[in-house]
């Protein structure tokens, strides 16, 4: 297994483990830390995590495949998440998603996250982001945007260096 984590991350993970009565209970925290570092959870990262926690890889795979926030493929530097639940769907989420896809050379009808060829942006639909009254809403990495028009979407992209 060629996967390794930076020493500072391993120190951080070791510290996290001290907060739990069993290593296994820290699985989600460890996966979040790894995804924050690498952007996704690779098969090698699954094995590393299982080994670190004294578990079998299947115990980690079942978490990575169950929770939609964990990514099993590399993503772009900027992750655009467009809410498509009812209020946002009615408020123009599909048009907004299509606008991003056309702008970035992606297929608006493809299933799942799509990453632009230059690796800068990943675009995907997500479910309710809990701001239904300000539809359509979206996130770009950790930044949240409400009432997003196509013009605002262009501004958001332009801010991403
Ligand atoms: S439906 Fe989009 S935030 Fe709730």
């Amino acid at each position: 297994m060629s996967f390794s984590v930076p020493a500072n991350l391993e120190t951080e993970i070791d510290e996290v483990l001290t907060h739990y009565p069993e290593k296994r209970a820290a699985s989600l925290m460890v996966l979040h830390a790894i995804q924050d570092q690498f952007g996704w959870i690779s098969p090698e990262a699954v094995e590393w995590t299982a080994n670190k926690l004294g578990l079998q890889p299947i115990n980690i795979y079942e978490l990575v495949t169950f929770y939609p926030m964990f990514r099993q493929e590399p993503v772009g530097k900027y992750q655009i998440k467009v809410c498509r639940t009812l209020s946002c769907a009615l408020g123009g989420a599909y048009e907004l998603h299509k606008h991003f896809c056309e702008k970035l050379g992606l297929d608006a009808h493809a299933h799942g996250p799509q990453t632009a060829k230059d690796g800068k942006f990943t675009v995907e639909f997500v479910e309710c982001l809990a701001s239904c009254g300000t539809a359509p809403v979206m996130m770009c990495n950790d930044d949240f945007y409400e009432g997003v028009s196509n013009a605002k979407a262009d501004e958001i992209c332009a801010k991403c260096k």
Side-chain angles (χ1 to χ4, degrees):
M1 179 170 54
S2 60
F3 182 83
S4 63
V5 302
N8 62 331
L9 177 58
E10 185 147 17
T11 301
E12 181 189 321
I13 288 171
D14 287 339
E15 201 279 328
V16 165
L17 295 182
T18 67
H19 295 264
Y20 294 86
E22 293 176 30
K23 286 183 182 178
R24 182 175 191 151
S27 298
L28 292 177
M29 295 299 290
V30 173
L31 287 171
H32 278 297
I34 288 175
Q35 183 161 275
D36 285 348
Q37 175 74 35
F38 297 99
W40 66 300
I41 310 288
S42 65
E44 293 80 12
V46 168
E47 286 194 33
W48 185 92
T49 304
N51 190 47
K52 183 76 182 170
L53 301 178
L55 300 170
Q56 294 300 314
I58 185 63
N59 302 128
I60 302 302
Y61 264 119
E62 63 191 8
L63 297 175
V64 172
T65 56
F66 180 78
Y67 291 105
M69 70 277 207
F70 292 128
R71 301 184 173 281
Q72 297 176 73
E73 292 182 0
V75 290
K77 182 177 179 188
Y78 297 97
Q79 296 170 47
I80 293 171
K81 298 173 184 176
V82 178
C83 171
R84 68 170 169 197
T85 308
L86 185 59
S87 294
C88 288
L90 293 173
Y94 282 85
E95 291 77 7
L96 177 61
H97 178 268
K98 185 174 173 214
H99 180 72
F100 277 118
C101 289
E102 287 176 351
K103 184 178 177 68
L104 300 171
L106 303 172
D107 179 1
H109 303 290
H111 180 73
Q114 293 186 81
T115 300
K117 283 196 172 65
D118 64 3
K120 188 171 177 186
F121 290 99
T122 295
V123 178
E124 67 181 315
F125 276 127
V126 293
E127 301 308 327
C128 188
L129 292 172
S131 184
C132 315
T134 58
V137 305
M138 58 163 281
M139 294 185 74
C140 181
N141 289 351
D142 293 332
D143 296 326
F144 186 72
Y145 297 94
E146 300 167 296
V148 183
S149 62
N150 287 354
K152 194 165 173 178
D154 291 342
E155 284 174 26
I156 292 164
C157 284
K159 279 201 310 187
C160 298
K161 302 294 180 200

